[in-house]
Short mmCIF file of all heavy atoms in Angstrom, two decimals:
data_model
loop_
_atom_site.label_atom_id
_atom_site.label_comp_id
_atom_site.label_asym_id
_atom_site.label_seq_id
_atom_site.Cartn_x
_atom_site.Cartn_y
_atom_site.Cartn_z
N PRO A 56 -1.36 20.39 7.84
CA PRO A 56 -2.55 21.19 8.15
C PRO A 56 -3.73 20.27 8.46
O PRO A 56 -3.71 19.08 8.16
CB PRO A 56 -2.81 21.97 6.85
CG PRO A 56 -1.53 21.90 6.10
CD PRO A 56 -0.84 20.66 6.52
N PRO A 57 -4.78 20.81 9.05
CA PRO A 57 -5.95 19.96 9.37
C PRO A 57 -6.52 19.31 8.11
O PRO A 57 -6.54 19.91 7.03
CB PRO A 57 -6.96 20.95 9.96
CG PRO A 57 -6.16 22.12 10.38
CD PRO A 57 -4.95 22.18 9.51
N LEU A 58 -6.97 18.07 8.25
CA LEU A 58 -7.49 17.33 7.10
C LEU A 58 -8.70 17.99 6.44
O LEU A 58 -8.82 17.91 5.22
CB LEU A 58 -7.80 15.90 7.49
CG LEU A 58 -6.58 14.97 7.51
CD1 LEU A 58 -6.97 13.59 7.97
CD2 LEU A 58 -5.93 14.90 6.17
N PRO A 59 -9.62 18.63 7.17
CA PRO A 59 -10.72 19.30 6.46
C PRO A 59 -10.22 20.36 5.47
O PRO A 59 -10.79 20.51 4.39
CB PRO A 59 -11.55 19.92 7.57
CG PRO A 59 -11.30 19.06 8.75
CD PRO A 59 -9.85 18.64 8.62
N ALA A 60 -9.16 21.07 5.81
CA ALA A 60 -8.61 22.06 4.88
C ALA A 60 -8.00 21.38 3.66
O ALA A 60 -8.14 21.86 2.53
CB ALA A 60 -7.56 22.91 5.59
N ILE A 61 -7.35 20.24 3.88
CA ILE A 61 -6.77 19.51 2.76
C ILE A 61 -7.87 18.94 1.87
O ILE A 61 -7.78 18.97 0.65
CB ILE A 61 -5.82 18.41 3.28
CG1 ILE A 61 -4.63 19.06 3.98
CG2 ILE A 61 -5.35 17.50 2.15
CD1 ILE A 61 -3.73 18.09 4.69
N TRP A 62 -8.93 18.42 2.49
CA TRP A 62 -10.06 17.90 1.71
C TRP A 62 -10.71 19.01 0.88
O TRP A 62 -11.09 18.79 -0.27
CB TRP A 62 -11.11 17.26 2.63
CG TRP A 62 -10.75 15.87 3.02
CD1 TRP A 62 -10.42 15.43 4.26
CD2 TRP A 62 -10.69 14.73 2.17
NE1 TRP A 62 -10.13 14.09 4.23
CE2 TRP A 62 -10.30 13.63 2.96
CE3 TRP A 62 -10.90 14.53 0.81
CZ2 TRP A 62 -10.14 12.36 2.44
CZ3 TRP A 62 -10.74 13.25 0.29
CH2 TRP A 62 -10.36 12.20 1.10
N ALA A 63 -10.86 20.19 1.47
CA ALA A 63 -11.46 21.31 0.72
C ALA A 63 -10.59 21.69 -0.47
O ALA A 63 -11.09 21.91 -1.58
CB ALA A 63 -11.66 22.50 1.66
N ALA A 64 -9.28 21.78 -0.25
CA ALA A 64 -8.37 22.11 -1.35
C ALA A 64 -8.40 21.04 -2.43
O ALA A 64 -8.43 21.36 -3.63
CB ALA A 64 -6.95 22.29 -0.81
N ALA A 65 -8.42 19.78 -2.02
CA ALA A 65 -8.46 18.69 -3.01
C ALA A 65 -9.74 18.74 -3.83
O ALA A 65 -9.72 18.57 -5.05
CB ALA A 65 -8.33 17.34 -2.31
N ALA A 66 -10.86 18.98 -3.16
CA ALA A 66 -12.14 19.04 -3.88
C ALA A 66 -12.19 20.20 -4.86
O ALA A 66 -12.61 20.04 -6.02
CB ALA A 66 -13.29 19.15 -2.89
N ILE A 67 -11.75 21.36 -4.42
CA ILE A 67 -11.77 22.53 -5.30
C ILE A 67 -10.86 22.33 -6.50
O ILE A 67 -11.25 22.59 -7.64
CB ILE A 67 -11.38 23.80 -4.51
CG1 ILE A 67 -12.50 24.17 -3.53
CG2 ILE A 67 -11.08 24.96 -5.44
CD1 ILE A 67 -12.12 25.21 -2.52
N LEU A 68 -9.64 21.87 -6.26
CA LEU A 68 -8.70 21.67 -7.37
C LEU A 68 -9.16 20.58 -8.32
O LEU A 68 -9.07 20.73 -9.55
CB LEU A 68 -7.31 21.33 -6.81
CG LEU A 68 -6.56 22.47 -6.15
CD1 LEU A 68 -5.32 21.95 -5.46
CD2 LEU A 68 -6.20 23.54 -7.17
N ALA A 69 -9.66 19.47 -7.78
CA ALA A 69 -10.10 18.37 -8.64
C ALA A 69 -11.31 18.78 -9.48
O ALA A 69 -11.36 18.50 -10.68
CB ALA A 69 -10.43 17.14 -7.80
N LEU A 70 -12.27 19.45 -8.86
CA LEU A 70 -13.45 19.87 -9.62
C LEU A 70 -13.11 20.93 -10.66
O LEU A 70 -13.59 20.88 -11.79
CB LEU A 70 -14.52 20.38 -8.66
CG LEU A 70 -15.22 19.32 -7.82
CD1 LEU A 70 -16.16 19.97 -6.82
CD2 LEU A 70 -15.96 18.34 -8.71
N PHE A 71 -12.28 21.89 -10.27
CA PHE A 71 -11.89 22.92 -11.23
C PHE A 71 -11.12 22.33 -12.40
O PHE A 71 -11.41 22.61 -13.57
CB PHE A 71 -11.05 24.01 -10.54
CG PHE A 71 -10.41 24.95 -11.51
CD1 PHE A 71 -11.16 25.92 -12.15
CD2 PHE A 71 -9.06 24.86 -11.80
CE1 PHE A 71 -10.57 26.78 -13.05
CE2 PHE A 71 -8.46 25.72 -12.70
CZ PHE A 71 -9.22 26.68 -13.33
N GLY A 72 -10.11 21.52 -12.10
CA GLY A 72 -9.29 20.96 -13.16
C GLY A 72 -10.06 20.01 -14.07
O GLY A 72 -9.98 20.10 -15.29
N THR A 73 -10.83 19.11 -13.46
CA THR A 73 -11.60 18.15 -14.26
C THR A 73 -12.68 18.86 -15.07
O THR A 73 -12.88 18.56 -16.25
CB THR A 73 -12.22 17.08 -13.35
OG1 THR A 73 -11.17 16.50 -12.57
CG2 THR A 73 -12.91 16.01 -14.16
N GLY A 74 -13.37 19.80 -14.44
CA GLY A 74 -14.41 20.56 -15.15
C GLY A 74 -13.83 21.37 -16.30
O GLY A 74 -14.42 21.42 -17.39
N SER A 75 -12.70 21.99 -16.08
CA SER A 75 -12.06 22.78 -17.14
C SER A 75 -11.62 21.90 -18.30
O SER A 75 -11.77 22.28 -19.46
CB SER A 75 -10.85 23.53 -16.59
OG SER A 75 -11.25 24.48 -15.65
N LEU A 76 -11.08 20.74 -17.98
CA LEU A 76 -10.64 19.84 -19.05
C LEU A 76 -11.83 19.30 -19.84
O LEU A 76 -11.74 19.11 -21.06
CB LEU A 76 -9.83 18.68 -18.48
CG LEU A 76 -8.43 19.04 -17.98
CD1 LEU A 76 -7.79 17.84 -17.29
CD2 LEU A 76 -7.55 19.53 -19.11
N MET A 77 -12.96 19.06 -19.17
CA MET A 77 -14.13 18.54 -19.87
C MET A 77 -14.83 19.62 -20.69
O MET A 77 -15.35 19.33 -21.77
CB MET A 77 -15.11 17.92 -18.87
CG MET A 77 -14.59 16.61 -18.32
SD MET A 77 -15.60 15.72 -17.11
CE MET A 77 -17.13 16.51 -17.04
N LEU A 78 -14.83 20.86 -20.21
CA LEU A 78 -15.54 21.92 -20.92
C LEU A 78 -14.73 22.51 -22.06
O LEU A 78 -15.29 22.98 -23.04
CB LEU A 78 -15.93 23.03 -19.94
CG LEU A 78 -16.99 22.64 -18.91
CD1 LEU A 78 -17.22 23.78 -17.93
CD2 LEU A 78 -18.28 22.26 -19.60
N GLN A 79 -13.41 22.52 -21.94
CA GLN A 79 -12.57 23.05 -23.00
C GLN A 79 -12.29 21.97 -24.03
O GLN A 79 -12.30 20.79 -23.74
CB GLN A 79 -11.23 23.54 -22.45
CG GLN A 79 -11.36 24.71 -21.52
CD GLN A 79 -10.02 25.09 -20.91
OE1 GLN A 79 -9.03 24.40 -21.09
NE2 GLN A 79 -10.01 26.19 -20.21
N GLY A 80 -12.03 22.39 -25.23
CA GLY A 80 -11.69 21.42 -26.26
C GLY A 80 -10.22 21.02 -26.24
O GLY A 80 -9.83 20.03 -26.82
N THR A 81 -9.41 21.82 -25.54
CA THR A 81 -7.97 21.55 -25.49
C THR A 81 -7.53 21.35 -24.05
O THR A 81 -8.25 21.68 -23.11
CB THR A 81 -7.18 22.73 -26.09
OG1 THR A 81 -7.46 23.90 -25.31
CG2 THR A 81 -7.57 22.97 -27.53
N VAL A 82 -6.34 20.83 -23.90
CA VAL A 82 -5.77 20.61 -22.57
C VAL A 82 -4.91 21.82 -22.22
O VAL A 82 -3.98 22.14 -22.95
CB VAL A 82 -4.94 19.32 -22.54
CG1 VAL A 82 -4.26 19.16 -21.20
CG2 VAL A 82 -5.80 18.12 -22.86
N SER A 83 -5.24 22.48 -21.12
CA SER A 83 -4.42 23.60 -20.67
C SER A 83 -3.54 23.14 -19.50
O SER A 83 -3.90 22.22 -18.75
CB SER A 83 -5.29 24.78 -20.25
OG SER A 83 -6.02 24.46 -19.08
N ALA A 84 -2.41 23.79 -19.34
CA ALA A 84 -1.47 23.41 -18.29
C ALA A 84 -2.07 23.64 -16.91
O ALA A 84 -1.89 22.82 -16.00
CB ALA A 84 -0.17 24.20 -18.43
N GLY A 85 -2.80 24.72 -16.73
CA GLY A 85 -3.40 25.02 -15.43
C GLY A 85 -4.47 24.01 -15.04
O GLY A 85 -4.53 23.55 -13.90
N ALA A 86 -5.32 23.65 -16.00
CA ALA A 86 -6.38 22.68 -15.72
C ALA A 86 -5.79 21.29 -15.45
O ALA A 86 -6.24 20.58 -14.56
CB ALA A 86 -7.37 22.62 -16.88
N LEU A 87 -4.77 20.92 -16.20
CA LEU A 87 -4.12 19.63 -15.99
C LEU A 87 -3.46 19.58 -14.62
O LEU A 87 -3.59 18.59 -13.89
CB LEU A 87 -3.09 19.38 -17.09
CG LEU A 87 -2.33 18.07 -17.00
CD1 LEU A 87 -3.27 16.90 -17.20
CD2 LEU A 87 -1.21 18.05 -18.02
N ALA A 88 -2.77 20.65 -14.25
CA ALA A 88 -2.09 20.69 -12.95
C ALA A 88 -3.11 20.67 -11.81
O ALA A 88 -2.95 19.93 -10.83
CB ALA A 88 -1.22 21.94 -12.86
N ALA A 89 -4.16 21.46 -11.92
CA ALA A 89 -5.15 21.52 -10.84
C ALA A 89 -5.89 20.20 -10.70
O ALA A 89 -6.06 19.68 -9.59
CB ALA A 89 -6.14 22.65 -11.12
N GLY A 90 -6.33 19.63 -11.80
CA GLY A 90 -7.07 18.37 -11.74
C GLY A 90 -6.22 17.21 -11.26
O GLY A 90 -6.61 16.46 -10.37
N GLY A 91 -5.04 17.07 -11.82
CA GLY A 91 -4.17 15.97 -11.42
C GLY A 91 -3.73 16.07 -9.98
O GLY A 91 -3.77 15.09 -9.23
N TYR A 92 -3.35 17.27 -9.57
CA TYR A 92 -2.91 17.44 -8.18
C TYR A 92 -4.09 17.29 -7.22
O TYR A 92 -3.95 16.71 -6.15
CB TYR A 92 -2.24 18.80 -7.99
CG TYR A 92 -1.67 18.95 -6.60
CD1 TYR A 92 -0.48 18.32 -6.26
CD2 TYR A 92 -2.31 19.70 -5.63
CE1 TYR A 92 0.05 18.43 -5.00
CE2 TYR A 92 -1.79 19.81 -4.36
CZ TYR A 92 -0.60 19.18 -4.05
OH TYR A 92 -0.10 19.29 -2.78
N GLY A 93 -5.25 17.78 -7.60
CA GLY A 93 -6.43 17.66 -6.74
C GLY A 93 -6.82 16.22 -6.49
O GLY A 93 -7.08 15.82 -5.35
N TRP A 94 -6.83 15.42 -7.55
CA TRP A 94 -7.18 14.00 -7.39
C TRP A 94 -6.11 13.25 -6.59
O TRP A 94 -6.42 12.42 -5.73
CB TRP A 94 -7.41 13.33 -8.73
CG TRP A 94 -8.71 13.73 -9.36
CD1 TRP A 94 -8.89 14.51 -10.46
CD2 TRP A 94 -10.02 13.41 -8.88
NE1 TRP A 94 -10.23 14.69 -10.70
CE2 TRP A 94 -10.95 14.01 -9.75
CE3 TRP A 94 -10.51 12.67 -7.82
CZ2 TRP A 94 -12.32 13.91 -9.59
CZ3 TRP A 94 -11.89 12.55 -7.65
CH2 TRP A 94 -12.77 13.16 -8.53
N ALA A 95 -4.85 13.52 -6.86
CA ALA A 95 -3.77 12.87 -6.10
C ALA A 95 -3.80 13.30 -4.64
O ALA A 95 -3.60 12.48 -3.74
CB ALA A 95 -2.42 13.20 -6.72
N LEU A 96 -4.10 14.57 -4.38
CA LEU A 96 -4.19 15.06 -3.02
C LEU A 96 -5.34 14.38 -2.28
O LEU A 96 -5.21 14.02 -1.11
CB LEU A 96 -4.38 16.57 -3.02
CG LEU A 96 -4.33 17.31 -1.69
CD1 LEU A 96 -2.98 17.09 -1.02
CD2 LEU A 96 -4.58 18.78 -1.90
N ALA A 97 -6.44 14.16 -2.96
CA ALA A 97 -7.58 13.47 -2.33
C ALA A 97 -7.22 12.03 -1.96
O ALA A 97 -7.55 11.56 -0.87
CB ALA A 97 -8.79 13.49 -3.26
N VAL A 98 -6.53 11.33 -2.84
CA VAL A 98 -6.14 9.94 -2.57
C VAL A 98 -5.17 9.87 -1.40
O VAL A 98 -5.32 9.05 -0.49
CB VAL A 98 -5.52 9.29 -3.84
CG1 VAL A 98 -4.84 7.98 -3.52
CG2 VAL A 98 -6.59 9.10 -4.90
N VAL A 99 -4.17 10.75 -1.38
CA VAL A 99 -3.18 10.74 -0.32
C VAL A 99 -3.81 11.18 1.01
O VAL A 99 -3.49 10.61 2.06
CB VAL A 99 -1.97 11.62 -0.71
CG1 VAL A 99 -1.00 11.76 0.43
CG2 VAL A 99 -1.28 11.03 -1.92
N ALA A 100 -4.71 12.15 0.99
CA ALA A 100 -5.38 12.58 2.22
C ALA A 100 -6.27 11.47 2.76
O ALA A 100 -6.35 11.27 3.98
CB ALA A 100 -6.20 13.84 1.96
N LEU A 101 -6.93 10.73 1.89
CA LEU A 101 -7.75 9.60 2.33
C LEU A 101 -6.88 8.53 2.98
O LEU A 101 -7.24 7.99 4.03
CB LEU A 101 -8.52 9.00 1.14
CG LEU A 101 -9.38 7.79 1.45
CD1 LEU A 101 -10.52 8.17 2.39
CD2 LEU A 101 -9.92 7.19 0.17
N ALA A 102 -5.73 8.24 2.40
CA ALA A 102 -4.83 7.25 2.98
C ALA A 102 -4.32 7.72 4.34
O ALA A 102 -4.22 6.95 5.29
CB ALA A 102 -3.66 6.99 2.04
N ARG A 103 -4.01 9.00 4.45
CA ARG A 103 -3.55 9.56 5.73
C ARG A 103 -4.64 9.46 6.79
O ARG A 103 -4.39 9.10 7.93
CB ARG A 103 -3.11 11.01 5.54
CG ARG A 103 -2.74 11.70 6.82
CD ARG A 103 -1.31 12.01 6.85
NE ARG A 103 -0.96 12.71 8.06
CZ ARG A 103 0.25 12.77 8.49
NH1 ARG A 103 1.20 12.19 7.81
NH2 ARG A 103 0.55 13.41 9.58
N GLN A 104 -5.87 9.78 6.41
CA GLN A 104 -6.99 9.71 7.35
C GLN A 104 -7.23 8.27 7.80
O GLN A 104 -7.44 8.01 8.98
CB GLN A 104 -8.24 10.28 6.69
CG GLN A 104 -9.42 10.35 7.60
CD GLN A 104 -10.60 11.04 6.92
OE1 GLN A 104 -10.49 11.52 5.80
NE2 GLN A 104 -11.71 11.09 7.60
N ARG A 105 -7.19 7.33 6.88
CA ARG A 105 -7.38 5.92 7.24
C ARG A 105 -6.26 5.42 8.13
O ARG A 105 -6.49 4.67 9.08
CB ARG A 105 -7.47 5.06 5.99
CG ARG A 105 -8.77 5.20 5.28
CD ARG A 105 -8.82 4.27 4.10
NE ARG A 105 -10.10 4.36 3.44
CZ ARG A 105 -10.39 3.78 2.31
NH1 ARG A 105 -9.47 3.05 1.70
NH2 ARG A 105 -11.57 3.92 1.76
N ARG A 106 -5.02 5.83 7.83
CA ARG A 106 -3.89 5.41 8.64
C ARG A 106 -4.02 5.96 10.07
O ARG A 106 -3.75 5.26 11.03
CB ARG A 106 -2.60 5.90 7.99
CG ARG A 106 -1.35 5.41 8.65
CD ARG A 106 -0.10 5.76 7.87
NE ARG A 106 -0.02 7.18 7.59
CZ ARG A 106 0.27 7.69 6.39
NH1 ARG A 106 0.51 6.91 5.39
NH2 ARG A 106 0.33 8.99 6.22
N TYR A 107 -4.47 7.20 10.20
CA TYR A 107 -4.63 7.78 11.53
C TYR A 107 -5.76 7.09 12.30
O TYR A 107 -5.61 6.78 13.47
CB TYR A 107 -4.91 9.29 11.44
CG TYR A 107 -5.08 9.89 12.81
CD1 TYR A 107 -3.98 10.13 13.61
CD2 TYR A 107 -6.34 10.17 13.31
CE1 TYR A 107 -4.13 10.64 14.87
CE2 TYR A 107 -6.50 10.68 14.58
CZ TYR A 107 -5.38 10.92 15.35
OH TYR A 107 -5.54 11.41 16.61
N ARG A 108 -6.87 6.84 11.62
CA ARG A 108 -7.98 6.17 12.31
C ARG A 108 -7.59 4.77 12.75
O ARG A 108 -8.00 4.30 13.80
CB ARG A 108 -9.21 6.13 11.40
CG ARG A 108 -9.89 7.46 11.33
CD ARG A 108 -11.18 7.36 10.60
NE ARG A 108 -11.84 8.67 10.56
CZ ARG A 108 -12.87 8.95 9.83
NH1 ARG A 108 -13.38 8.02 9.04
NH2 ARG A 108 -13.39 10.15 9.85
N ALA A 109 -6.80 4.07 11.95
CA ALA A 109 -6.34 2.73 12.34
C ALA A 109 -5.43 2.83 13.56
O ALA A 109 -5.48 1.98 14.45
CB ALA A 109 -5.61 2.06 11.18
N ALA A 110 -4.60 3.86 13.61
CA ALA A 110 -3.72 4.04 14.77
C ALA A 110 -4.53 4.34 16.02
O ALA A 110 -4.20 3.87 17.12
CB ALA A 110 -2.73 5.16 14.51
#
Side-chain angles (χ1 to χ4, degrees):
L58 279 177
I61 295 173
W62 279 113
I67 289 169
L68 288 171
L70 288 175
F71 169 74
T73 306
S75 295
L76 288 173
M77 288 180 9
L78 293 176
Q79 295 176 352
T81 61
V82 175
S83 68
L87 180 66
Y92 185 76
W94 286 110
L96 187 60
V98 168
V99 173
L101 179 65
R103 175 112 178 161
Q104 185 175 355
R105 285 183 178 173
R106 187 172 54 227
Y107 180 76
R108 284 188 179 169

